[in-house]
Structures are given as structure tokens and as C-alpha cells.
Amino acid sequence: MADFLETEALWEDFHRVVNMTSAELAAWLRVRDADEDTEPLPEEAGTETGQHVLAILQKRRTDLTDDDIRVMHKVVDTVGDLVDMEDEPEPERAPEDTRRRHRLMTLGHDPLKP
């Protein structure tokens, strides 16, 4: 029972911090990896974690694997460390804010999204 409750809580936390839809995240991962000369195949765009977040967004809770749960914990912890969820959204002020936003977006969290 504890595993079920822990997974339920993690699922809720993950979907609270990942505020981008799967379509938004997929588009961002493609844009992020595109450059002037090449663009990766859509299923190869983005970081490994970004691709895993995208795959999790397309799953049902009952289909989660142990690896999915590990990535969900990582995303919740990382976004929690980088963002004060109470004060979001916040305006970008400097180039480091843009880099921070892009890093968060790779994990499925857009700090400027209401």
C-alpha cells in the first residue's frame, strides 16, 4: 500500500512541476537541438532526461517503470531546487535567467507559463 501511495504522490508532484504538455515539450526539444545545418530526428531531439520526461507524459500511471520513477524523482527534485513554485511565473532579467529557463524547459517546466 505504501508503494501505491508513494507512486500516487510522486505522480501528482511530477505533473505539478512539469507544466508543459507533451506537444510543447516535444517542440521545445526539437527547437533546442536544431542548428543552422542540421536538425535531429524528432525522437532523438533533446537530452536523454528530456526524452524520458516526454515518454512519461505519454504514459498512464499504471504503466510506469522503475526507471520512470527514478526520472520523476530527479525531475521533481531538480525543478524544486531551481524554482520557488510559490512565486512562479517570474520575468526573465538576465542571460543567466534565460539559461535557467531553458534548462527547466528541457525538464518540462516553463517558469514563465502561468
Side-chain angles (χ1 to χ4, degrees), residues 25-26 28-34 40-52 106:
L25 179 55
W28 167 250
L29 294 175
R30 285 191 306 273
V31 166
R32 182 187 169 277
D33 275 5
L41 295 172
E43 63 274 0
E44 295 173 2
T47 64
E48 185 178 329
T49 302
Q51 282 294 323
H52 204 138
T106 300

Side-chain angles (χ1 to χ4, degrees), residues 22-64:
S22 58
E24 290 169 332
L25 179 55
W28 167 250
L29 294 175
R30 285 191 306 273
V31 166
R32 182 187 169 277
D33 275 5
D35 67 22
E36 195 173 297
D37 299 321
T38 63
E39 185 172 334
L41 295 172
E43 63 274 0
E44 295 173 2
T47 64
E48 185 178 329
T49 302
Q51 282 294 323
H52 204 138
V53 169
L54 182 59
I56 292 168
L57 288 175
Q58 297 168 341
K59 288 185 174 188
R60 296 176 305 182
R61 196 175 337 200
T62 56
D63 296 332
L64 295 174

Side-chain angles (χ1 to χ4, degrees), residues 74-87:
K74 177 181 175 181
V75 168
V76 168
D77 292 344
T78 302
V79 172
D81 288 347
L82 293 173
V83 174
D84 179 3
M85 298 301 285
E86 300 296 318
D87 292 335

Side-chain angles (χ1 to χ4, degrees), residues 91-109:
E92 293 185 41
R93 291 181 209 97
E96 52 276 358
D97 290 334
T98 299
R99 285 190 297 274
R100 177 181 156 273
R101 178 179 182 226
H102 289 177
R103 179 176 178 209
L104 287 164
M105 287 175 67
T106 300
L107 298 174
H109 178 81

